[in-house]
Protein backbone atom coordinates (compact mmCIF):
# COMPACT_ATOMS: atom_id res chain seq x y z
CA UNK A 1 0.00 0.00 0.00
CA UNK A 2 1.30 3.45 -0.92
CA UNK A 3 0.26 6.73 0.59
CA UNK A 4 -0.59 9.79 -1.46
CA UNK A 5 -2.51 10.07 -4.72
CA UNK A 6 -3.44 6.94 -6.63
CA UNK A 7 -1.34 6.36 -9.74
CA UNK A 8 -2.02 4.58 -13.03
CA UNK A 9 -1.38 0.81 -12.99
CA UNK A 10 2.30 -0.03 -13.27
CA UNK A 11 3.45 3.41 -12.16
CA UNK A 12 4.10 4.83 -8.73
CA UNK A 13 3.03 8.07 -7.10
CA UNK A 14 3.88 11.30 -9.02
CA UNK A 15 6.87 13.26 -7.75
CA UNK A 16 6.12 15.99 -5.21
CA UNK A 17 9.13 18.01 -6.32
CA UNK A 18 8.38 17.94 -10.05
CA UNK A 19 4.77 19.13 -9.55
CA UNK A 20 3.11 17.43 -12.50
CA UNK A 21 6.03 16.93 -14.90
CA UNK A 22 6.61 13.39 -13.53
CA UNK A 23 3.73 11.05 -14.40
CA UNK A 24 4.68 8.56 -11.71
CA UNK A 25 7.53 6.71 -10.06
CA UNK A 26 9.36 4.30 -12.36
CA UNK A 27 11.81 2.28 -10.26
CA UNK A 28 15.38 1.96 -11.48
CA UNK A 29 16.98 -1.47 -11.32
CA UNK A 30 19.60 -0.45 -8.75
CA UNK A 31 19.50 3.30 -8.22
CA UNK A 32 17.14 4.61 -5.50
CA UNK A 33 15.62 7.10 -7.94
CA UNK A 34 12.81 7.41 -10.45
CA UNK A 35 13.80 6.60 -14.05
CA UNK A 36 11.47 9.33 -15.26
CA UNK A 37 12.39 12.39 -13.19
CA UNK A 38 15.60 11.20 -11.45
CA UNK A 39 14.24 12.27 -8.02
CA UNK A 40 14.54 10.05 -4.94
CA UNK A 41 11.92 7.73 -3.51
CA UNK A 42 11.18 10.11 -0.65
CA UNK A 43 9.95 12.73 -3.14
CA UNK A 44 7.29 10.29 -4.35
CA UNK A 45 5.84 9.47 -0.88
CA UNK A 46 6.20 5.76 -1.58
CA UNK A 47 5.87 4.57 2.00
CA UNK A 48 2.78 3.87 4.07
CA UNK A 49 2.34 4.21 7.84
CA UNK A 50 2.77 0.45 8.21
CA UNK A 51 5.96 0.45 6.14
CA UNK A 52 7.39 3.37 8.12
CA UNK A 53 6.61 1.64 11.40
CA UNK A 54 8.25 -1.57 10.19
CA UNK A 55 11.36 0.37 9.14
CA UNK A 56 11.77 2.06 12.52
CA UNK A 57 10.81 -1.14 14.35
CA UNK A 58 13.58 -3.01 12.58
CA UNK A 59 16.06 -0.28 13.45
CA UNK A 60 15.18 -0.25 17.16
CA UNK A 61 14.86 -4.04 17.50
CA UNK A 62 17.91 -5.56 19.16
CA UNK A 63 18.86 -2.24 20.76
CA UNK A 64 18.28 -0.77 24.21
CA UNK A 65 15.22 0.92 22.70
CA UNK A 66 13.44 -2.31 21.78
CA UNK A 67 10.77 -1.34 24.34
CA UNK A 68 9.53 1.13 21.73
CA UNK A 69 8.67 -1.81 19.46
CA UNK A 70 6.15 -4.66 19.52
CA UNK A 71 6.21 -8.08 17.90
CA UNK A 72 4.07 -8.35 14.79
CA UNK A 73 1.13 -10.68 15.42
CA UNK A 74 1.38 -13.80 13.33
CA UNK A 75 4.62 -12.58 11.82
CA UNK A 76 8.09 -14.08 11.53
CA UNK A 77 9.44 -12.50 14.68
CA UNK A 78 9.71 -9.04 13.13
CA UNK A 79 9.03 -6.04 15.34
CA UNK A 80 7.06 -2.89 14.57
CA UNK A 81 7.49 0.62 15.94
CA UNK A 82 4.98 1.51 18.66
CA UNK A 83 4.65 5.01 17.27
CA UNK A 84 2.96 7.39 19.69
CA UNK A 85 0.15 9.28 17.94
CA UNK A 86 -1.65 12.12 19.69
CA UNK A 87 -5.25 13.20 19.13
CA UNK A 88 -6.25 16.59 20.49
CA UNK A 89 -9.92 17.56 20.66
CA UNK A 90 -10.84 21.20 21.16
CA UNK A 91 -14.46 22.33 21.61
CA UNK A 92 -15.70 25.05 19.26
CA UNK A 93 -18.09 27.39 21.06
CA UNK A 94 -20.90 28.77 18.90
CA UNK A 95 -24.53 29.82 19.22
CA UNK A 96 -25.63 26.48 17.78
CA UNK A 97 -24.85 23.02 19.03
CA UNK A 98 -21.24 22.71 20.24
CA UNK A 99 -18.80 21.05 17.84
CA UNK A 100 -15.27 19.78 18.21
CA UNK A 101 -12.08 20.42 16.30
CA UNK A 102 -9.93 17.28 16.27
CA UNK A 103 -6.23 17.43 15.42
CA UNK A 104 -4.20 14.25 14.95
CA UNK A 105 -0.42 14.31 15.31
CA UNK A 106 1.16 11.44 13.36
CA UNK A 107 3.91 11.30 15.99
CA UNK A 108 4.39 12.75 19.49
CA UNK A 109 7.05 12.16 22.17
CA UNK A 110 6.06 9.04 24.14
CA UNK A 111 5.37 8.96 27.86
CA UNK A 112 4.21 12.56 28.26
CA UNK A 113 1.00 14.13 29.50
CA UNK A 114 -0.82 15.80 26.61
CA UNK A 115 -0.18 19.29 27.98
CA UNK A 116 3.58 18.82 27.97
CA UNK A 117 3.47 17.10 24.57
CA UNK A 118 1.57 20.08 23.17
CA UNK A 119 4.17 22.44 24.65
CA UNK A 120 6.83 20.43 22.82
CA UNK A 121 4.92 20.69 19.52
CA UNK A 122 4.55 24.44 19.88
CA UNK A 123 8.33 24.79 20.23
CA UNK A 124 9.10 23.32 16.81
CA UNK A 125 8.40 25.17 13.52
CA UNK A 126 4.75 24.91 12.49
CA UNK A 127 5.65 23.61 9.05
CA UNK A 128 7.41 20.67 10.71
CA UNK A 129 4.65 19.72 13.16
CA UNK A 130 3.45 16.27 12.03
CA UNK A 131 -0.27 17.06 11.91
CA UNK A 132 -2.09 14.51 9.75
CA UNK A 133 -2.83 15.77 6.25
CA UNK A 134 -0.41 18.71 6.40
CA UNK A 135 3.01 19.45 4.94
CA UNK A 136 4.46 18.77 8.40
CA UNK A 137 3.29 15.14 8.26
CA UNK A 138 4.67 14.75 4.73
CA UNK A 139 7.95 16.32 5.86
CA UNK A 140 8.23 13.76 8.67
CA UNK A 141 7.68 10.89 6.24
CA UNK A 142 10.32 12.19 3.84
CA UNK A 143 12.76 12.59 6.71
CA UNK A 144 12.20 9.00 7.83
CA UNK A 145 13.23 7.79 4.39
CA UNK A 146 16.06 10.30 4.10
CA UNK A 147 17.61 10.05 7.57
CA UNK A 148 16.95 6.34 8.20
CA UNK A 149 17.36 4.56 4.86
CA UNK A 150 16.18 0.97 5.00
CA UNK A 151 19.25 -0.05 2.99
CA UNK A 152 21.46 1.21 5.84
CA UNK A 153 20.08 -1.46 8.17
CA UNK A 154 18.70 -4.31 6.05
CA UNK A 155 21.13 -6.21 3.78
CA UNK A 156 18.21 -7.65 1.79
CA UNK A 157 17.45 -4.10 0.56
CA UNK A 158 20.95 -3.67 -0.89
CA UNK A 159 21.94 -4.21 -4.51
CA UNK A 160 25.58 -3.30 -4.05
CA UNK A 161 26.65 -6.06 -1.64
CA UNK A 162 29.13 -8.47 -3.15
CA UNK A 163 29.77 -11.98 -1.86
CA UNK A 164 31.50 -11.83 1.51
CA UNK A 165 30.24 -8.33 2.36
CA UNK A 166 27.01 -9.47 4.02
CA UNK A 167 28.75 -10.28 7.31
CA UNK A 168 30.55 -6.93 7.26
CA UNK A 169 27.24 -5.09 6.98
CA UNK A 170 25.57 -7.20 9.68
CA UNK A 171 28.45 -6.44 12.07
CA UNK A 172 28.28 -2.74 11.10
CA UNK A 173 24.56 -2.58 11.97
CA UNK A 174 24.98 -4.54 15.19
CA UNK A 175 27.78 -2.23 16.30
CA UNK A 176 25.94 1.05 15.68
CA UNK A 177 22.87 -0.27 17.49
CA UNK A 178 25.01 -1.06 20.52
CA UNK A 179 27.28 1.99 20.49
CA UNK A 180 25.55 4.93 18.81
CA UNK A 181 21.80 4.56 18.26
CA UNK A 182 19.61 6.60 20.60
CA UNK A 183 16.10 8.01 20.99
CA UNK A 184 15.73 11.42 22.56
CA UNK A 185 13.65 11.90 25.70
CA UNK A 186 11.42 14.91 26.32
CA UNK A 187 11.08 16.24 29.86
CA UNK A 188 11.23 19.45 31.84
CA UNK A 189 14.73 20.74 32.66
CA UNK A 190 16.34 18.73 35.42
CA UNK A 191 13.95 15.82 34.98
CA UNK A 192 15.61 13.89 32.17
CA UNK A 193 16.17 10.22 32.95
CA UNK A 194 13.67 10.47 35.79
CA UNK A 195 15.92 13.06 37.41
CA UNK A 196 18.97 10.78 37.47
CA UNK A 197 22.33 11.89 36.10
CA UNK A 198 24.56 9.37 34.35
CA UNK A 199 27.96 9.52 35.96
CA UNK A 200 27.44 12.93 37.56
CA UNK A 201 25.28 14.16 40.40
CA UNK A 202 22.55 16.63 39.59
CA UNK A 203 22.99 20.20 40.78
CA UNK A 204 21.74 20.16 44.38
CA UNK A 205 20.02 23.52 44.04
CA UNK A 206 18.02 22.05 41.16
CA UNK A 207 17.25 18.78 42.90
CA UNK A 208 15.87 20.62 45.90
CA UNK A 209 13.24 22.36 43.79
CA UNK A 210 12.45 19.44 41.49
CA UNK A 211 8.78 18.39 41.63
CA UNK A 212 7.84 14.72 42.07
CA UNK A 213 5.96 14.52 38.75
CA UNK A 214 7.68 14.84 35.37
CA UNK A 215 4.73 16.66 33.84
CA UNK A 216 4.45 19.33 36.51
CA UNK A 217 6.45 22.54 36.27
CA UNK A 218 8.76 23.45 39.16
CA UNK A 219 6.98 25.47 41.84
CA UNK A 220 8.18 28.99 42.50
CA UNK A 221 8.60 29.70 46.18
CA UNK A 222 10.42 32.40 48.12
CA UNK A 223 14.11 31.87 47.58
CA UNK A 224 13.60 29.22 44.87
CA UNK A 225 14.75 29.57 41.29
CA UNK A 226 12.36 31.30 38.90
CA UNK A 227 11.53 28.66 36.26
CA UNK A 228 11.89 31.33 33.57
CA UNK A 229 15.47 31.97 34.68
CA UNK A 230 16.75 28.52 35.58
CA UNK A 231 20.40 27.37 35.48
CA UNK A 232 19.94 25.35 32.27
CA UNK A 233 21.25 26.18 28.80
CA UNK A 234 20.64 24.58 25.42
CA UNK A 235 23.66 22.55 24.35
CA UNK A 236 23.33 23.85 20.77
CA UNK A 237 22.45 27.55 20.90
CA UNK A 238 23.76 28.10 24.48
CA UNK A 239 20.68 30.17 25.30
CA UNK A 240 18.93 29.77 28.69
CA UNK A 241 16.23 27.11 28.94
CA UNK A 242 13.14 28.14 30.97
CA UNK A 243 12.42 25.69 33.75
CA UNK A 244 8.80 25.27 32.71
CA UNK A 245 9.43 24.45 29.04
CA UNK A 246 10.18 20.94 27.73
CA UNK A 247 13.66 20.08 26.49
CA UNK A 248 15.19 17.08 24.73
CA UNK A 249 17.68 14.78 26.44
CA UNK A 250 19.95 12.24 24.75
CA UNK A 251 20.87 9.51 27.21
CA UNK A 252 24.14 8.77 25.37
CA UNK A 253 25.17 12.38 26.00
CA UNK A 254 24.40 12.25 29.72
CA UNK A 255 21.63 14.15 31.48
CA UNK A 256 23.69 17.27 32.16
CA UNK A 257 23.04 18.30 28.54
CA UNK A 258 19.71 19.34 27.06
CA UNK A 259 18.42 20.89 23.84
CA UNK A 260 15.55 23.16 22.84
CA UNK A 261 13.17 20.99 20.75
CA UNK A 262 14.03 23.01 17.62
CA UNK A 263 17.77 22.71 18.34
CA UNK A 264 17.96 18.91 18.46
CA UNK A 265 19.32 18.52 14.94
CA UNK A 266 21.92 16.52 13.04
CA UNK A 267 25.37 18.07 13.45
CA UNK A 268 26.11 17.48 9.76
CA UNK A 269 22.95 18.54 7.88
CA UNK A 270 21.28 20.65 10.62
CA UNK A 271 17.95 18.93 9.94
CA UNK A 272 15.72 18.12 12.95
CA UNK A 273 16.20 14.51 14.01
CA UNK A 274 13.05 12.69 12.93
CA UNK A 275 11.13 11.15 15.87
CA UNK A 276 14.13 12.18 18.02
CA UNK A 277 16.14 9.22 16.65
CA UNK A 278 19.84 10.07 16.76
CA UNK A 279 23.27 8.49 16.51
CA UNK A 280 25.88 9.70 19.00
CA UNK A 281 29.47 10.20 17.89
CA UNK A 282 32.31 12.56 18.85
CA UNK A 283 30.17 14.42 21.36
CA UNK A 284 27.38 15.24 18.90
CA UNK A 285 24.09 13.89 17.57
CA UNK A 286 23.91 12.73 13.95
CA UNK A 287 21.06 11.53 11.76
CA UNK A 288 21.40 7.91 10.65
CA UNK A 289 22.39 8.78 7.09
CA UNK A 290 25.28 11.04 8.01
CA UNK A 291 26.44 8.88 10.91
CA UNK A 292 26.87 5.90 8.57
CA UNK A 293 28.65 8.10 6.01
CA UNK A 294 31.06 9.28 8.70
CA UNK A 295 32.28 5.70 9.11
CA UNK A 296 32.21 4.31 5.58
CA UNK A 297 31.77 5.81 2.09
CA UNK A 298 28.31 5.88 0.49
CA UNK A 299 27.86 5.06 -3.18
CA UNK A 300 26.65 8.15 -5.04
CA UNK A 301 25.02 5.83 -7.56
CA UNK A 302 22.93 3.39 -5.51
CA UNK A 303 22.98 5.35 -2.20
CA UNK A 304 24.18 2.29 -0.27
CA UNK A 305 27.10 2.09 2.16
CA UNK A 306 30.20 0.61 0.51
CA UNK A 307 31.73 -2.37 2.29
CA UNK A 308 34.26 -3.23 -0.39
CA UNK A 309 37.78 -1.82 -0.37
CA UNK A 310 37.66 -1.64 -4.17
CA UNK A 311 35.60 1.36 -5.24
CA UNK A 312 35.83 4.49 -7.38
CA UNK A 313 36.34 8.03 -6.08
CA UNK A 314 36.01 11.45 -7.70
CA UNK A 315 35.73 14.93 -6.23
CA UNK A 316 35.06 13.70 -2.71
CA UNK A 317 32.37 11.19 -3.78
CA UNK A 318 32.50 7.40 -3.98
CA UNK A 319 30.89 4.70 -6.13
CA UNK A 320 30.79 0.92 -6.22
CA UNK A 321 32.94 0.06 -9.23
CA UNK A 322 29.95 -1.53 -10.98
CA UNK A 323 27.89 1.65 -10.33
CA UNK A 324 30.45 4.11 -11.71
CA UNK A 325 28.17 4.73 -14.67
CA UNK A 326 26.48 7.51 -16.63
CA UNK A 327 23.17 8.61 -15.11
CA UNK A 328 21.50 8.83 -18.53
CA UNK A 329 22.81 5.97 -20.69
CA UNK A 330 24.29 3.70 -17.94
CA UNK A 331 27.63 3.36 -19.75
CA UNK A 332 30.37 2.27 -17.32
CA UNK A 333 32.87 5.11 -17.00
CA UNK A 334 35.91 3.49 -15.39
CA UNK A 335 38.90 4.74 -17.41
CA UNK A 336 36.68 6.94 -19.57
CA UNK A 337 36.14 10.73 -19.61
CA UNK A 338 33.15 11.95 -17.62
CA UNK A 339 31.65 15.04 -16.04
CA UNK A 340 30.03 15.42 -12.64
CA UNK A 341 26.80 17.41 -12.40
CA UNK A 342 24.84 17.66 -9.13
CA UNK A 343 26.75 14.64 -7.77
CA UNK A 344 25.74 12.57 -10.82
CA UNK A 345 28.07 11.12 -13.46
CA UNK A 346 27.58 11.84 -17.15
CA UNK A 347 29.53 10.45 -20.07
CA UNK A 348 30.91 12.90 -22.63
CA UNK A 349 28.04 12.29 -25.07
CA UNK A 350 25.25 12.78 -22.53
CA UNK A 351 27.00 15.78 -21.01
CA UNK A 352 27.12 17.48 -24.42
CA UNK A 353 23.43 16.65 -25.03
CA UNK A 354 22.43 18.31 -21.76
CA UNK A 355 24.26 21.50 -22.70
CA UNK A 356 22.49 21.79 -26.05
Amino acid sequence: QMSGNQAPPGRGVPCLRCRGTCAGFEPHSWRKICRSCKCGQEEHSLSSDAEDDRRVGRLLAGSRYAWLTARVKGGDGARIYKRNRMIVTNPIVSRKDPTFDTITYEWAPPGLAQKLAMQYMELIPKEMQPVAGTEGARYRRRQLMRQLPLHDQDPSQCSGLAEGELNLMEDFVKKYKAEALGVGEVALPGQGGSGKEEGKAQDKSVTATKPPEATKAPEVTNGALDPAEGPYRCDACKQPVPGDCPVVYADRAGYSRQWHPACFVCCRCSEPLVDLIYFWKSGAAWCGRHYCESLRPRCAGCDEIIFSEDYQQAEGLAWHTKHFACLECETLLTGKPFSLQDCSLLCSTCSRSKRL
Side-chain angles (χ1 to χ4, degrees), residues 244-256:
D244 57 354
C245 288
V247 292
V248 179
Y249 288 94
D251 62 344
R252 292 191 183 273
Y255 288 99
S256 63

Side-chain angles (χ1 to χ4, degrees), residues 28-33 41 146 149-162 165 169 172 289 292-293 296-308 311-312 317-323:
H28 190 276
S29 58
W30 52 267
R31 299 182 192 270
K32 308 297 188 295
I33 61 171
Q41 296 176 354
R146 178 69 181 168
L150 188 56
H151 48 271
D152 278 9
Q153 53 173 300
D154 185 355
S156 70
Q157 300 296 314
C158 297
S159 61
L161 287 178
E165 294 174 10
M169 180 172 182
F172 179 78
R289 169 174 291 275
C292 290
E293 291 176 10
R296 301 194 72 97
R298 183 182 297 278
C299 176
C302 70
D303 198 50
E304 296 169 17
I305 298 299
I306 298 174
F307 290 94
S308 170
Y311 59 92
Q312 300 292 318
L317 299 174
W319 289 261
H320 290 107
T321 300
K322 62 183 178 181
H323 293 160

Side-chain angles (χ1 to χ4, degrees), residues 26-42:
E26 294 185 54
H28 190 276
S29 58
W30 52 267
R31 299 182 192 270
K32 308 297 188 295
I33 61 171
C34 173
R35 281 185 180 273
S36 175
C37 67
K38 303 297 191 292
C39 291
Q41 296 176 354
E42 65 270 20

